[in-house]
Amino acid sequence: MYDYLIVGAGLFGSVFAREMAERGKKCLVIDKRGHVGGNLSCEKIENITTHKYGAHIFHTNDKAVWDYINRFAEFNRYTNSPVANYKGEIYNLPFNMNTFYKLWGTVAPDDAKRMIERQSAGIKEPKNLEEQAISLVGTDIYEKLIKGYTEKQWGRKCKDLPAFIIKRLPVRFTYDNNYFNDRFQGIPIGGYNQIFEKLLEKCDVRLNTDYLESRPFKAEKTVYTGMIDEFFGYRFGPLEYRSLSFETQTLDTPNFQGNAVVNYTSGDVAYTRIIEHKHFEFGQQPKTVITREYPKTWQKGDEPYYPVNNDSNNERYEKYAELAAGEKNMIFGGRLGSYRYLDMWQVIKEALEMSEKNSRNN
Ligand code: FAD
């Protein structure tokens, strides 16, 4: 009999399992996929580490989380500086002095600020995402860098999307192309798989095992990191997600786009971005691997990538959370168990807190 059955060998399940195993608990980790690592799983193609479920850049302001993850891999100095391709024109992201110079030829921060103020004036109470975006960054940035990208991401017109989706937009009046504001950032050299091999080294692991098909194992406690609505048989109806499809290609050229991340911001192009994986690790391989990302509406059987946290889904989630609270010896965690978008550092923090809480209660 195991102390803990952990459903899901993603980041939440694996950190939790590691922590409990270090405290002497017997843990079994199962996953319905054929590999560990959840959405961080990587694959080597032409000796290039390829992020199978979308690009994953580790970033955090939390020193304890950064120190923790560095126990399991060495990180490089990769800094995320995506660029936007709008109909062949290239702009730096996040919106900063380089972007404004390219758009308007403005050199001084005050000139760029005046330009934005002039274009955003007139909208006092934004009624939808379009008005919200224009009120924050003006019409030029909205038209070229936000509109098409956002409409592809959400599958709806910006005029039909609620304003709250973009409360703030990253705007910087410095010549700084670093996308994140965090103190710590990087990519594990050689990819994420090694982290999971080490996290799970003291646990039993069974792959290709879907908990919901037969609930096959018994343990004192079960940690569930899959979809909470699926766990309860969609009793209150399914929660909504956005999904993605990935199209990966190997190209016989050493450098396809000169950057790891290029966003395609025009509505004319069906994909939202192209990832060129080798640039995450400054790769010098003779070939290159690229992945195009196409957003789509989630349907049963697709990977649920982004929760759609609008009022009706959040209300539905609360009903599931109430049921979950009544389940004896069950813990729901991770992004799917709690129906939230979580960055990796948040998942690690929550798994560490959850394991700490559980060892105090035992
Ligand atoms: P998951 O990784 O989804 O793990 C859950 C696991 O449970 C899966 O392996 C699944 O197969 C398994 N499972 C589910 N149901 C069952 C079942 N019934 N039986 C058995 N197993 C089951 N974060 C960052 O910090 N930086 C980034 O750059 C970044 N990029 C991202 C890009 C994309 C496209 C997406 C979608 C997310 C990104 N994230 C990023 C967030 C990051 O992916 C998550 O924080 C992290 O993967 C969450 O870990 P998890 O363990 O909660 O979930």
Side-chain angles (χ1 to χ4, degrees), residues 11-12 31-32 39 55-57 210-211 335 341-342 344:
L11 195 56
F12 189 95
D31 203 296
K32 63 181 178 186
N39 284 351
H56 277 77
I57 301 141
D210 189 333
Y211 177 73
R335 64 188 191 98
Y341 177 84
L342 297 170
M344 291 181 274

Side-chain angles (χ1 to χ4, degrees), residues 21-35:
E22 278 191 358
R23 290 166 171 87
K25 301 291 179 195
K26 210 164 165 249
C27 298
L28 171 65
V29 182
I30 64 170
D31 203 296
K32 63 181 178 186
R33 299 183 191 177
H35 58 75

